[in-house]
Amino acid sequence: MNILVTGGAGFIGSHTVVELIAAGYSPVIVDDLSNSSPSVLKGLKNILGTDVPFYQEDCNDYVKMTEVVQKHNIQGIIHFAAFKAVGESVSEPLKYYRNNIGSLLNILNVMRANNVRNLVFSSSCTVYGQADVIPVTESTPKKKAESPYGNTKAIAEDILEDSVKAGLDFGIISLRYFNPVGAHPSAEIGELPIGVPNNLIPYVTQTAAGIREKLTVFGSDYDTPDGSNVRDFIHVVDLAKAHVSALNLLQEHTSEPYYNVFNIGTGRGNSVLEIIDTFERVNNLKLNYEIGPRRPGDVIKIYGNVEKAATEMNWRAEKTLEESMEDAWRWQKKISNL
C-alpha cells in the first residue's frame, strides 16, 4: 500500500518512514523543507538501503498534491506537515492558523477528489490544555488551548470528526502525541531544528555539545514535585510505530466512515529537571543550566493514559527514558562531529 507522508523529512515523519517500510508499506514523502533538511533523505537511504520517493512541495498546493497522489496511486496519508513551535505560535498566530488548518483542508479535499480513504493525523496532547485530572484519557474534555499551536490541533480534530459525522467516506485516526524525544539508534536520523531549538531535548544536547552556552529551565515554582514542568517523553521510534498500528487498524474499518483518537505516550510523566538528571547520568556529563521565569503558553503538567492504544491498536511504548537520552546524545555527537 502506497502511503503519502507529508512532512516526511521532519523528525517524527522520517522515523515513521522507516517503520512503514519495515511493516511492508511503501511511503512517498512530501515536504517543503521549511523546517527540515535534505540531509534527512541521505540518512534514510543509509538506513533503508534505497531512496524513498520525495517531492519538495507545499501541502497547501492543491495541484501539486493531486499530482503526487495520482502518480503514486496513494491509498493512505499520514499528515505531519505543520508548524509546531508553541512559543512562535503565541507571537505569530496567523502564520499557524493559515498553514496548519489550511494544509489539512487541502489534504482532505485532495483525498475526497481522488478516493483516498485513510488518514492518520498528527495531533497533540496540547488539545487537553491544562487538564483538571491527570493522567488524561481520550474522553478527557478538551479545554481552551494554551497556545495558537495547540488550538490548531483542536480545530483540526473538530474538522476531521465533523467530516466523518457528515458521512464523508473517510477512515481517520488522530494520534495525540505527548513529547517525542530520542533518535534512531543508528544515529542516521534525529531531531534537526533549524536555528535555536524550541524543544527541550535538542537544547539539552546542543548545550552538552557546546553549541548553546547554557540551558534555561522555564520555571521552578510550578505545582509539581520539583517545581519544573512535567511532560510525557516518548521515544520517537515508539511514536513512529504507532502510525503503522493506526494504519493497520484503519484496514479493519472500511465498511463505513470511521473516526477515532488515541493518546500516544508512555503513560507516565517526567519533569524537566528529571530529564536533565537522566541525560547527565546516562551520558556521564554535566550540563550548564539555569532556572528562568515561566514561559508563556506552557502547560504545568500533562501525561496520558495510553490503555486505549494498547487495547484497540495493539500498540504500547517500549523504549525507556534512558534509551531516549542515549540516542539523542549519540545523534547530537554525530551531527556535531564530536
Side-chain angles (χ1 to χ4, degrees):
M1 179 180 288
N2 297 334
I3 304 298
L4 178 61
V5 185
T6 72
F11 178 38
I12 307 170
S14 60
H15 288 80
T16 300
V17 166
V18 173
E19 299 305 325
L20 285 169
I21 289 179
Y25 290 98
S26 298
V28 176
I29 298 172
V30 167
D31 198 305
D32 67 1
L33 300 181
S34 64
N35 194 34
S36 54
S37 167
S39 65
V40 174
L41 303 175
K42 181 179 178 181
L44 284 172
K45 184 174 184 178
N46 289 341
I47 294 170
L48 300 169
T50 185
D51 288 313
V52 178
F54 168 76
Y55 297 87
Q56 184 176 351
E57 302 292 352
D58 185 341
C59 290
N60 288 285
D61 190 324
Y62 182 87
V63 172
K64 294 296 184 182
M65 295 301 294
T66 299
E67 289 175 357
V68 174
V69 165
Q70 293 179 349
K71 178 178 179 179
H72 290 276
N73 187 28
I74 295 298
Q75 295 159 285
I77 297 177
I78 302 178
H79 185 44
F80 293 106
F83 296 144
K84 62 179 184 177
V86 170
E88 183 186 52
S89 78
V90 173
S91 60
E92 297 190 59
L94 297 184
K95 173 182 176 180
Y96 275 68
Y97 287 116
R98 182 172 58 248
N99 184 67
N100 293 9
I101 302 302
S103 65
L104 175 64
L105 291 172
N106 192 53
I107 290 290
L108 290 171
N109 284 323
V110 171
M111 289 175 63
R112 192 178 184 190
N114 293 277
N115 298 313
V116 179
R117 174 182 169 83
N118 293 332
L119 174 71
V120 179
F121 176 66
S122 171
S123 192
S124 168
C125 66
T126 56
V127 301
Y128 297 116
Q130 182 54 68
D132 295 324
V133 178
I134 305 292
V136 294
T137 71
E138 289 82 356
S139 60
T140 296
K142 291 191 286 187
K143 282 192 168 186
K144 179 173 175 57
E146 298 287 323
S147 68
Y149 163 76
N151 203 29
T152 66
K153 295 300 185 182
I155 293 169
E157 284 195 8
D158 288 343
I159 290 169
L160 296 173
E161 186 173 13
D162 287 345
S163 298
V164 171
K165 281 182 177 178
L168 299 183
D169 189 25
F170 290 141
I172 300 174
I173 289 176
S174 291
L175 299 182
R176 292 173 177 169
Y177 309 158
F178 287 79
N179 289 58
V181 294
H184 195 271
S186 67
E188 290 290 349
I189 55 174
E191 193 162 5
L192 198 61
I194 296 174
V196 179
N198 289 296
N199 295 333
L200 174 63
I201 303 304
Y203 217 109
V204 166
T205 59
Q206 288 190 13
T207 301
I211 298 170
R212 306 293 161 192
E213 179 185 355
K214 60 187 173 184
L215 169 71
T216 299
V217 176
F218 295 108
S220 62
D221 58 350
Y222 287 107
D223 183 19
T224 61
D226 61 21
S228 63
N229 297 101
V230 169
R231 298 288 185 270
D232 183 338
F233 295 91
I234 176 173
H235 197 294
V236 66
V237 171
D238 281 333
L239 178 54
K241 290 178 178 178
H243 296 79
V244 176
S245 296
L247 281 176
N248 293 341
L249 180 58
L250 287 173
Q251 307 312 309
E252 301 174 12
H253 293 273
T254 57
S255 60
E256 59 186 6
Y258 173 82
Y259 180 73
N260 214 336
V261 298
F262 294 93
N263 286 338
I264 303 298
T266 65
R268 61 184 177 274
N270 296 100
S271 73
V272 173
L273 291 175
E274 283 181 287
I275 290 296
I276 292 172
D277 176 71
T278 303
F279 183 86
E280 290 181 329
R281 175 168 48 82
V282 300
N283 295 308
N284 193 29
L285 48 77
K286 287 293 182 182
L287 285 171
N288 181 26
Y289 71 93
E290 66 177 6
I291 305 298
R294 296 185 181 192
R295 183 171 58 177
D298 276 350
V299 169
I300 299 171
K301 60 181 176 180
I302 186 80
Y303 58 93
N305 181 304
V306 293
E307 291 308 308
K308 182 180 176 184
T311 302
E312 298 184 30
M313 286 206 314
N314 193 31
W315 173 91
R316 191 181 293 276
E318 298 174 346
K319 292 182 175 288
T320 65
L321 182 61
E322 285 78 7
E323 288 177 282
S324 296
M325 296 302 100
E326 289 171 339
D327 289 341
W329 180 228
R330 186 182 303 113
W331 163 247
Q332 184 67 60
K333 286 191 292 184
K334 178 180 179 179
I335 60 177
S336 299
N337 297 312
L338 295 179

